[in-house]
Amino acid sequence: MFILVSIFLPIIFFIAPINVIAIQSNLDLSSAQTSVGKRFAKVFCDAKREGLDSDFASEYALNNTYLKFVAFPDDDEYLDNLWNFTHNNILDNCGEFVDINDLKDLELFFKEEGLIASNRELYLPTFENN
């Protein structure tokens, strides 16, 4: 029994999405910047350095960061601040690999995903107990 638990427990934690509830009253923007913005910029820049175009790099970054699993407050200023932080990280880490059009497209992508994260309950299926 212990062996089964020790095998399946890590798998469950790996598969289960990280549900970070970002309630505006107790959310620290710097935590989101570190856990989402910084990580997104790093993964995006790594993908750009490997030669991926910006569309693939942004999808790759989305699928390899917490942006896909967090819930943000429904606040445009919050998303703007998070994007500005992420944007600056991208410029600092791989600015030579992106141009202004790439950044504009990436901003739209990032904010669209942030909007989804702000309304996570609308996009997740609901399960009823019978």
Side-chain angles (χ1 to χ4, degrees):
M1 183 68 167
F2 177 74
I3 294 172
L4 287 175
V5 171
S6 63
I7 291 172
F8 288 112
L9 194 59
I11 292 171
I12 291 170
F13 284 120
F14 180 77
I15 293 173
I18 298 169
N19 187 15
V20 180
I21 305 215
I23 300 171
Q24 193 168 10
S25 63
N26 65 3
L27 177 72
D28 182 11
L29 180 61
S30 65
S31 295
Q33 289 172 337
T34 300
S35 62
V36 177
K38 202 174 209 178
R39 174 78 178 148
F40 185 92
K42 181 192 179 317
V43 173
F44 177 82
C45 286
D46 289 347
K48 289 296 287 181
R49 283 189 194 94
E50 293 295 321
L52 292 177
D53 71 17
S54 289
D55 289 337
F56 286 116
S58 60
E59 285 292 333
Y60 181 76
L62 173 66
N63 289 322
N64 289 284
T65 62
Y66 298 123
L67 180 60
K68 195 171 185 175
F69 301 111
V70 296
F72 291 138
D74 190 10
D75 180 357
D76 290 339
E77 184 179 347
Y78 180 89
L79 290 176
D80 288 342
N81 289 336
L82 184 57
W83 166 248
N84 287 334
F85 176 85
T86 306
H87 171 269
N88 290 336
N89 263 282
I90 290 169
L91 289 178
D92 291 344
N93 293 310
C94 64
E96 67 274 14
F97 294 104
V98 294
D99 63 27
I100 191 70
N101 290 326
D102 289 336
L103 286 173
K104 286 180 182 178
D105 291 342
L106 186 59
E107 179 180 9
L108 290 173
F109 174 82
F110 188 90
K111 287 186 176 179
E112 181 179 285
E113 291 300 325
L115 187 60
I116 291 169
S118 298
N119 297 289
R120 182 72 57 210
E121 71 280 353
L122 299 176
Y123 296 94
L124 293 176
T126 58
F127 300 99
E128 295 180 21
N129 293 334
N130 289 336

